[in-house]
Amino acid sequence: MTDAVGSIDMPDAQDEASASADQDSKKKARKGGKRGKKGPLGRLALFYRQVVAELRKVVWPSRNQLSTYTTVVIVFVVIMIGIVTVIDSGFQHVVKYVFG
């Protein structure tokens, strides 16, 4: 069980010392790696390789699926244009009736 200040097992000074030691070790471990040794062009090349790798994971639709999806979107947009046109026309008639 812990109190509001620290743990019961360790005094507050030891808690702070161990926490700062953990943060120091994380900073040292994080400093190396792929980005630590390369310049801006190396990082740009790494980014490009990662983008290409992610694009290879994408499941691309077939031509038949693409045409089906395109048709569905176009039909949906046409229906929405019709609905908005009817609503707008209705509002226009209401405004003409109210304001003369």
Side-chain angles (χ1 to χ4, degrees):
M1 186 170 172
T2 62
D3 58 1
V5 177
S7 67
I8 294 175
D9 298 334
M10 289 194 287
D12 294 336
Q14 288 177 352
D15 284 345
E16 291 173 4
S18 66
S20 65
D22 288 341
Q23 289 175 352
D24 290 339
S25 66
K26 286 180 184 177
K27 286 181 184 177
K28 290 178 185 175
R30 208 181 292 160
K31 197 170 189 178
K34 291 182 179 178
R35 281 204 250 169
K37 298 178 184 176
K38 296 183 178 180
L41 291 178
R43 288 195 303 257
L44 187 63
L46 175 64
F47 174 74
Y48 178 73
R49 285 194 304 270
Q50 289 174 345
V51 167
V52 170
E54 287 297 321
L55 285 175
R56 287 185 181 156
K57 293 178 187 177
V58 174
V59 178
W60 297 99
S62 67
R63 185 171 294 275
N64 189 22
Q65 289 173 330
L66 188 63
S67 63
T68 302
Y69 297 156
T70 304
T71 304
V72 167
V73 168
I74 290 173
V75 167
F76 177 76
V77 168
V78 167
I79 290 172
M80 291 307 294
I81 288 172
I83 291 172
V84 170
T85 302
V86 168
I87 291 172
D88 186 49
S89 176
F91 282 139
Q92 182 181 3
H93 289 301
V94 169
V95 168
K96 277 186 179 179
Y97 178 75
V98 170
F99 295 110

